[in-house]
Amino acid sequence: MIGEKKGGGKKGQVTLFIILAIIIVALAVLLYFLLIKSPTKPQTVTENPAVYIETCMKDKIEDTVNILSLQGGSVIPSNGYYLYQNNTIEYLCYTNEYYAPCGVQQPMLTQHIQSEILKNIKEDTVLCFNSMKEDYEQEGYEVIMKPGNTTIDLLPDKIITTFGYEVTLTKEDASKYENFKIELVRDTYRFAAIASSIIQWETIYGDAEVTTYMNYYHDLKVEKQKQIDETSIYILTNRDTGEKFQFASRSYAFPPGIVV
Amino acid sequence: MNKKSLMFFAMIFLIGILSINLAIAESSYCCERLKSGQWCQTATQSECATGINPFSNQPYTTPIPTSCEMTSYCKLGTCIFSNEGICSANTALSVCNRDGGEWKGESLEDLPECQLGCCLLGNSAVFVTQTQCKKLSSDSGLITDYRLDITNEVECIASITSDEIGACVFEEEYQTTCRMISQKDCTEVEGSSFHTGFLCSASQLETNCGPRGGTICNEERVYFLDTCGNLANIYDYSKLNDNNYWTYIQEPSCDNGMGNKNSKTCGACDYFSGSTCTMYQRGETINPDYGEYFCGSLDCNSVGKLHGETWCGENSVSSLTGKNSPGSRYYRFMCYNGEVTVEPCAEFRNEICIESEVNDFSVAGCAINKWQDCTTQINQTDCENPYARDCKWISGYSILKDENGIDLAFTETETAKIPGSCVPKYAPGFDFYAETGNGADVCSLGTQVCIIKYEIGILASKEKLSRADWQNKISKCVENCYCIPGYTNGAAKNEYENNKPAWHPKSYTDWVNLSNSVCTALGDCGTKKNYLGGSGDIKEIFTSEFTK
């Protein structure tokens, strides 16, 4: 009797473990889909594939701009960074020495931001266009798609993403669509220009006067937070939209205490 | 030479070679890139990145044991990106090459292609190079309007002028209507007529636009609107029913020249005077007499500061009185757009906050604390030269002494040479948490040794005096009596009191205070409370007696 009871217990345990394993796997799959954000696939196809692409890509571009804006213009900072409030903020100007001016680390900030956005949306661009092709084909369209280059233009007040794809849709009539454009209203161009200007001051004086920029641009808040190793974290905020851009600089640092 | 001796010399030779190698490895090299990612930095060889440079697909340049400015690959210059019209000063050659720029040794000011001018882009303006302007204009679909005669950014932003607007009257849906636009835009409207200096609400234009259509914010000021939604003149309640004010473009008469903060009747706001167009919210005390907008104040009323004021914080004020507690630092506060922001000055009191006030408007800034060469000054004039350093002179004791312990720093008067010490006016802080900190060495500069002389007679013994009480000792003292605990003026031997130099401390307490003021000024030394008010260990001041 005792032996039989023991056998039943083992079977029960195995079943319990299998159920637990299934739950864990299911949770893992669910978490994967929740955390790994895939492009926002439109619910329905419309007459104009540009609307499809905009719905599919806009979030990705916005997310990319948000991330790089908090990290000195890079999605993954590679020129050294300062960890500030859980953000890895890239140095746009840096020296590891005392009493020395910083050297510019990112001389073409605007172009760097453009290339970072481009790099980060590359994969999603292919996914979105392929998914658009499939969806239109399911709706009975014949789709001829010619991939092309994607370009990012940082302009005052906006970011324009142009997908150089050529798409021809044929159902009854043939319609050709090209140069799909997505326009985001963002202050990134101005932020990059101001950051470059601050960096030029940092290279000469090791500092920049933030009130000068606030007097020029009334809708802009500029903050400078000096850290313990004399790294300066600059935070630019658009007062109207709350949009932020932050970057780090270390220049003309002084050591603590009298040098004996 | 036997085998043992050979082995010994070989070992010495190997240790020598190893030491030289270690010394080289520890000295400074110019790394094209650090392992942590930064470009062109001076560091130890082990910190330099090795392998293939992912940007050039070539190996990183072998580090050279010299400063980066002396190398061919990291010297600083101007990096020019001709296609984009961008010039970047103080950029290393490697960084410039990495991004595909053209590097030049000249400074930015000497390169004509890097000169900046004002690029007008419709209703905005940017201060950029001509090439950048051409690109921006083309991207925005505008004709390039580049002004080299505007030489700074402030003028550039101020130069944003839209074409003069006036009333453009035209027919629309069988009605005569009007829009406030420029003459150029008006000519593009079919069958239109342009009326310079007139408002659309002018009755003589006989349009469907009339006066009193509400108010709106425009360029930070409050404007009247006509009934068609066109901008009229600046909101002036006294002119609400003035036909002339609704006919011609004109300035308001209500402007007080100070931004009309919180005025219910005047919309002539001025950002630099501390006001901007603000929408009335239900429940607010300021309710404009007409419309929904008024000139809201940008001042920081909670702290009693005006918009644009900057000032030093509480912490700094206590530091200015000379406390400079361990762990404290200076802060600058700013009031902008009704919001107070805090800017910490450099850590370790390497920067101080300086504040001045003009017509009740305070202006403050973080400035470098120039204490570095204080302790090497040998006279009060040089010490307290405000243009050269931030130091103060403490009279009565010299921390600078020669090898025989003779004082080296003095204030010279007609009658005496009074020793003194030049110390930081704002005591710098230490990196007390770091193992490599030099706090103990710095503080030891303030260590004083006071040698007291006693006259005890031939028959008296030194041992007996050492056991005597303070009063007894004071009565036998002939030199530096103030170093004896309990010594006060008049209690000592008359001879000493009559002959001692005038600058000598008058009591033991005075001497301790003098010593402490020298010591505490050097940094986080002496007996101090930290910035949170916590006390450290009280060190023994009187440490030895009768050791010789």
Side-chain angles (χ1 to χ4, degrees):
Chain A
M1 284 295 282
I2 294 165
E4 272 178 28
K5 267 186 185 173
K6 271 187 178 172
K10 265 186 184 172
K11 270 184 189 172
Q13 272 184 338
V14 170
T15 317
L16 191 70
F17 283 135
I18 290 168
I19 292 166
L20 272 175
I22 291 167
I23 291 169
I24 289 166
V25 170
L27 277 174
V29 171
L30 190 71
L31 272 174
Y32 175 81
F33 282 108
L34 283 175
L35 295 176
I36 311 294
K37 226 175 170 185
S38 57
T40 318
K41 198 177 155 184
Q43 297 291 310
T44 53
V45 296
T46 61
E47 285 293 313
N48 190 347
V51 178
Y52 186 103
I53 293 300
E54 182 162 345
T55 314
C56 191
M57 287 301 297
K58 199 167 184 177
D59 283 354
K60 180 68 183 176
I61 301 169
E62 275 186 341
D63 288 349
T64 305
V65 175
N66 290 341
I67 291 168
L68 64 81
S69 295
L70 295 177
Q71 302 191 145
S74 295
V75 175
I76 301 168
S78 61
N79 294 342
Y81 63 83
Y82 189 91
L83 190 65
Y84 177 76
Q85 292 181 347
N86 290 329
N87 286 309
T88 49
I89 304 180
E90 190 162 53
Y91 282 106
L92 298 187
C93 200
Y94 184 79
T95 178
N96 57 351
E97 293 174 83
Y98 287 122
Y99 313 113
C102 62
V104 177
Q105 301 290 306
Q106 205 62 268
M108 298 240 311
L109 184 58
T110 307
Q111 286 64 29
H112 173 72
I113 292 171
Q114 287 175 175
S115 72
E116 283 287 292
I117 300 171
L118 193 62
K119 201 164 63 182
N120 209 47
I121 65 166
K122 199 175 174 183
E123 218 170 87
D124 285 53
T125 304
V126 177
L127 285 175
C128 277
F129 274 93
N130 287 344
S131 132
M132 181 191 75
K133 187 170 183 276
E134 278 172 27
D135 285 355
Y136 273 94
E137 280 169 348
Q138 276 175 10
E139 290 292 318
Y141 287 90
E142 186 197 336
V143 183
I144 302 166
M145 193 167 77
K146 206 169 138 190
N149 289 333
T150 304
T151 56
I152 309 285
D153 287 304
L154 238 66
L155 297 174
D157 305 327
K158 59 191 168 192
I159 300 171
I160 298 174
T161 308
T162 310
F163 304 97
Y165 278 67
E166 260 182 40
V167 176
T168 309
L169 300 179
T170 313
K171 205 168 192 181
E172 289 159 358
D173 301 320
S175 308
K176 191 177 171 186
Y177 301 89
E178 55 189 3
N179 286 332
F180 297 79
K181 279 185 196 288
I182 297 177
E183 195 174 303
L184 287 186
V185 178
R186 298 298 289 248
D187 221 357
T188 317
Y189 178 87
R190 184 169 65 149
F191 286 156
I194 292 169
S196 300
S197 164
I198 289 174
I199 288 310
Q200 291 301 317
W201 282 91
E202 283 270 332
T203 59
I204 302 165
Y205 303 106
D207 210 350
E209 178 51 56
V210 297
T211 56
T212 311
Y213 296 95
M214 291 199 277
N215 289 332
Y216 285 170
Y217 307 101
H218 301 170
D219 58 339
L220 191 74
K221 181 163 89 174
V222 186
E223 294 165 274
K224 178 173 61 184
Q225 299 294 333
K226 282 221 170 184
Q227 305 301 306
I228 201 155
D229 71 340
E230 300 238 347
T231 290
S232 292
I233 303 291
Y234 286 93
I235 306 166
L236 316 179
T237 312
N238 182 320
R239 290 183 193 272
D240 298 331
T241 62
E243 203 182 328
K244 270 182 197 294
F245 187 87
Q246 46 191 32
F247 62 95
S249 172
R250 188 178 191 269
S251 187
Y252 283 113
F254 284 78
I258 297 172
V259 179
V260 182
Chain B
M1 199 178 278
N2 61 24
K3 211 175 178 180
K4 265 187 181 173
S5 303
L6 267 173
M7 283 284 282
F8 176 75
F9 283 114
M11 269 180 71
I12 293 289
F13 180 72
L14 277 173
I15 290 167
I17 293 284
L18 205 67
S19 309
I20 289 163
N21 281 340
L22 277 172
I24 290 170
E26 283 308 310
S27 63
S28 294
Y29 282 75
C30 177
C31 309
E32 189 182 7
R33 197 181 188 188
L34 294 182
K35 282 176 180 165
S36 52
Q38 295 93 332
W39 292 79
C40 289
Q41 302 294 323
T42 308
T44 58
Q45 199 170 14
S46 59
E47 291 174 276
C48 299
T50 50
I52 301 295
N53 177 347
F55 296 93
S56 63
N57 283 324
Q58 300 286 319
Y60 284 112
T61 311
T62 310
I64 299 173
T66 184
S67 76
C68 283
E69 202 43 40
M70 305 302 289
T71 64
S72 58
Y73 55 96
C74 273
K75 58 186 170 188
L76 294 176
T78 305
C79 187
I80 303 163
F81 302 92
S82 317
N83 292 341
E84 305 287 340
I86 293 172
C87 297
S88 174
N90 296 298
T91 308
L93 180 66
S94 283
V95 175
C96 189
N97 288 342
R98 179 197 73 191
D99 290 352
E102 183 194 352
W103 188 89
K104 288 188 177 174
E106 292 96 327
S107 70
L108 195 130
E109 292 76 29
D110 298 334
L111 295 163
E113 62 266 51
C114 295
Q115 298 315 300
L116 300 179
C118 189
C119 182
L120 295 160
L121 301 160
N123 290 329
S124 63
V126 282
F127 199 58
V128 291
T129 62
Q130 192 160 14
T131 314
Q132 262 182 300
C133 186
K134 279 180 188 165
K135 191 173 184 303
L136 283 170
S137 305
S138 133
D139 288 344
S140 309
L142 297 165
I143 297 164
T144 307
D145 187 359
Y146 189 66
R147 302 265 306 271
L148 259 175
D149 57 312
I150 297 174
T151 53
N152 65 65
E153 199 160 3
V154 183
E155 275 182 46
C156 181
I157 292 165
S159 71
I160 304 168
T161 48
S162 34
D163 295 333
E164 195 182 351
I165 63 162
C168 179
V169 180
F170 58 97
E171 292 291 320
E172 191 180 61
E173 293 175 356
Y174 309 108
Q175 277 191 320
T176 305
T177 190
C178 178
R179 256 187 241 152
M180 290 300 289
I181 51 176
S182 68
Q183 189 160 15
K184 190 181 145 203
D185 290 341
C186 189
T187 54
E188 288 167 16
V189 181
E190 203 182 325
S192 64
S193 61
F194 187 76
H195 301 268
T196 310
F198 274 85
L199 293 167
C200 281
S201 50
S203 55
Q204 49 267 66
L205 297 179
E206 295 177 340
T207 67
N208 62 346
C209 306
R212 294 172 292 279
T215 57
I216 198 169
C217 285
N218 182 53
E219 291 175 346
E220 299 172 348
R221 293 188 285 188
V222 189
Y223 278 80
F224 273 130
L225 283 177
D226 65 22
T227 52
C228 293
N230 292 302
L231 280 186
N233 288 316
I234 287 174
Y235 165 58
D236 181 347
Y237 184 70
S238 66
K239 302 282 179 73
L240 185 65
N241 296 307
D242 184 337
N243 193 41
N244 184 276
Y245 200 66
W246 287 97
T247 301
Y248 302 105
I249 296 172
Q250 57 191 279
E251 291 298 317
S253 59
C254 60
D255 190 0
N256 67 5
M258 292 187 292
N260 304 289
K261 281 177 204 170
N262 298 327
S263 167
K264 293 179 176 184
T265 56
C266 193
C269 322
D270 178 29
Y271 183 80
F272 290 103
S273 298
S275 71
T276 193
C277 180
T278 310
M279 194 181 183
Y280 164 72
Q281 304 287 332
R282 194 175 287 275
E284 272 185 16
T285 49
I286 312 299
N287 188 0
D289 287 344
Y290 178 76
E292 295 288 299
Y293 300 92
F294 68 103
C295 292
S297 169
L298 295 170
D299 298 340
C300 302
N301 295 323
S302 59
V303 289
K305 294 286 177 184
L306 299 173
H307 164 73
E309 273 195 284
T310 51
W311 67 100
C312 299
E314 275 297 308
N315 194 5
S316 306
V317 171
S318 68
S319 297
L320 284 169
T321 60
K323 286 185 180 170
N324 291 303
S325 318
S328 70
R329 77 194 285 188
Y330 289 79
Y331 291 87
R332 178 171 79 147
F333 291 77
M334 285 176 270
C335 169
Y336 266 83
N337 291 45
E339 190 186 349
V340 177
T341 48
V342 187
E343 184 182 297
C345 299
E347 189 63 280
F348 307 115
R349 300 185 293 281
N350 273 331
E351 277 182 342
I352 50 171
C353 184
I354 294 172
E355 184 181 328
S356 63
E357 207 167 279
V358 182
N359 297 331
D360 290 335
F361 191 90
S362 62
V363 182
C366 294
I368 290 170
N369 183 5
K370 296 173 288 181
W371 47 259
Q372 288 82 356
D373 64 352
C374 290
T375 52
T376 57
Q377 304 308 310
I378 57 167
N379 64 65
Q380 189 169 2
T381 313
D382 288 345
C383 174
E384 293 182 339
N385 177 358
Y387 301 105
R389 52 193 67 87
D390 295 315
C391 310
K392 63 180 177 187
W393 184 260
I394 297 178
S395 201
Y397 176 76
S398 170
I399 54 172
L400 281 183
K401 293 185 189 296
D402 68 9
E403 63 270 22
N404 299 315
I406 307 296
D407 295 339
L408 291 174
F410 299 96
T411 310
E412 286 195 43
T413 64
E414 283 178 7
T415 52
K417 276 173 84 178
I418 304 167
S421 296
C422 187
V423 292
K425 197 171 176 182
Y426 312 102
F430 297 147
D431 51 347
F432 47 87
Y433 52 85
E435 285 177 13
T436 51
N438 61 354
D441 295 337
V442 174
C443 292
S444 70
L445 283 175
T447 299
Q448 289 194 29
V449 176
C450 180
I451 298 167
I452 308 161
K453 275 190 187 171
Y454 296 97
E455 260 182 24
I456 52 173
I458 298 166
L459 298 173
S461 76
K462 196 169 83 175
E463 285 72 28
K464 197 177 172 187
L465 183 68
S466 72
R467 290 194 300 273
D469 61 18
W470 293 123
Q471 284 308 318
N472 205 348
K473 283 177 187 167
I474 290 164
S475 68
K476 302 278 187 299
C477 156
V478 289
E479 207 172 300
N480 295 344
C481 306
Y482 53 81
C483 299
I484 305 169
Y487 173 83
T488 49
N489 194 15
K493 215 174 156 189
N494 285 339
E495 192 185 333
Y496 169 68
E497 274 302 318
N498 294 334
N499 296 319
K500 73 168 189 177
W503 52 266
H504 269 201
K506 292 192 169 33
S507 66
Y508 173 74
T509 316
D510 281 0
W511 176 66
V512 170
N513 288 341
L514 169 71
S515 309
N516 199 41
S517 62
V518 171
C519 196
T520 52
L522 292 170
D524 293 336
C525 309
T527 53
K528 278 183 180 177
K529 285 184 176 178
N530 69 17
Y531 80 111
L532 294 171
S535 300
D537 295 332
I538 307 285
K539 297 288 178 195
E540 193 183 344
I541 295 168
F542 196 81
T543 54
S544 65
E545 193 188 12
F546 299 106
T547 51
K548 285 184 183 175

